[in-house]
Amino acid sequence: MREFLVAGNWKMNGSIAANGELVAGIAAGVPAGSGFSMLVCPPFPYLGSVGSALEGTAGKLGAQNVSEHAAGAYTGEVAPSMLKDLGCEYVIVGHSERRAMYGESSFQVAAKFQAAQGAGLTPILCVGETLEEREQGATENVVDFQLNAVLDAAGIGAFASAVVAYEPVWAIGTGVTATPEQAQEVHKHIRARLAEVDAGIAASTQILYGGSMKGENAAGLLTMPDIDGGLIGGASLKADDFLAIAAAAAQG
Ligand code: PGA
């Protein structure tokens, strides 16, 4: 049985003071319930302090990006081993903002995915189509291309210790959420694509939904058979909003 994962992607938000308040708020209100995990992904400079604040709580630590290189002359980059050193368990790779604004190709994302796993981190691989691609009926092709780049590079075995996040670009930060049925359709497709290669691994891979997920729509999304949690941006910045999503996950 797959557990739910409720993951907060803070993006480029926060401060020492605000993070302290947010983590304390989250830690104080984690709903009782088994079968789900909570994760926060702060900006790089705060990983150490947020990691310390999470100690003794149910929250896990992750990062938002990682270099595909192990060490060396890569000014401004952060190596997977450094994230591990700071206590990260997870790292997001291939977020659509990285792909669109920083030119990350699916091949570079695959390299990051592999580098993260090589350091013992669990990558959260983001895939998803733009509105234009959806309107052209290309959603499945786009998601397959993004997924295949990683399957080709890392193999299906790598998905035994990885998470996939379906994040339709048109739903990210827009307030427009995919309906549970729209999301389920793509989640089911992703699982079927993995199952073509290995049905057992496909059945155990967590597939999160991301894109304007909030307390009000979380329960509907999380009741879908192939949706195993959320990758949450805006609503992860306020403890109450994030906890409302966690409460939906705790209820199963
Ligand atoms: P959002 O962001 O919840 O603000 O739409 C989700 C994401 O980008 O991971």
Side-chain angles (χ1 to χ4, degrees):
M1 201 38 215
R2 296 181 302 269
E3 280 204 340
F4 283 124
L5 175 62
V6 176
N9 172 12
W10 292 3
K11 308 195 180 183
M12 199 173 73
N13 293 293
S15 65
I16 291 174
N19 299 344
E21 231 174 89
L22 180 52
V23 173
I26 293 171
V30 176
S34 53
F36 87 104
S37 303
M38 270 174 86
L39 167 71
V40 294
C41 302
F44 286 139
Y46 300 127
L47 285 170
S49 58
V50 170
S52 301
L54 286 171
E55 268 169 35
T57 77
K60 300 181 178 189
L61 184 69
Q64 301 171 18
N65 184 27
V66 67
S67 172
E68 65 271 44
H69 303 290
Y74 301 100
T75 302
E77 292 291 291
V78 176
S81 61
M82 298 172 185
L83 299 181
K84 191 73 187 162
D85 231 7
L86 284 163
C88 288
E89 293 180 57
Y90 292 84
V91 61
I92 298 168
V93 297
H95 189 280
S96 70
E97 286 152 17
R98 301 292 321 167
R99 293 178 190 262
M101 292 193 268
Y102 301 97
E104 289 187 10
S105 70
S106 288
F107 307 102
Q108 188 183 7
V109 171
K112 290 181 178 220
F113 179 106
Q114 285 187 285
Q117 281 195 331
L121 297 160
T122 300
I124 301 176
L125 170 67
C126 298
V127 299
E129 81 290 358
T130 63
L131 183 58
E132 196 184 4
E133 289 162 342
R134 171 163 282 261
E135 286 173 350
Q136 288 167 354
T139 298
E140 293 188 355
N141 285 345
V142 170
V143 166
D144 282 350
F145 184 85
Q146 294 168 336
L147 215 49
N148 288 346
V150 178
L151 277 170
D152 290 348
I156 187 69
F159 284 82
S161 47
V163 175
V164 178
Y166 169 57
E167 297 209 304
V169 178
W170 47 272
I172 295 177
T174 58
V176 181
T177 316
T179 64
E181 293 73 23
Q182 279 175 322
Q184 166 59 23
E185 195 181 9
V186 183
H187 281 237
K188 188 177 169 196
H189 173 79
I190 291 169
R191 201 176 304 285
R193 172 69 193 104
L194 297 177
E196 279 172 24
V197 202
D198 188 312
I201 289 177
S204 67
T205 304
Q206 285 174 318
I207 307 178
L208 313 183
Y209 168 79
S212 299
M213 195 176 199
K214 30 189 184 276
E216 305 92 81
N217 57 37
L221 288 158
L222 294 175
T223 50
M224 289 290 145
D226 289 298
I227 301 184
D228 308 313
L231 182 55
I232 298 120
S236 72
L237 296 173
K238 286 201 186 127
D240 287 352
D241 293 348
F242 194 52
L243 288 170
I245 298 171
Q251 278 166 18

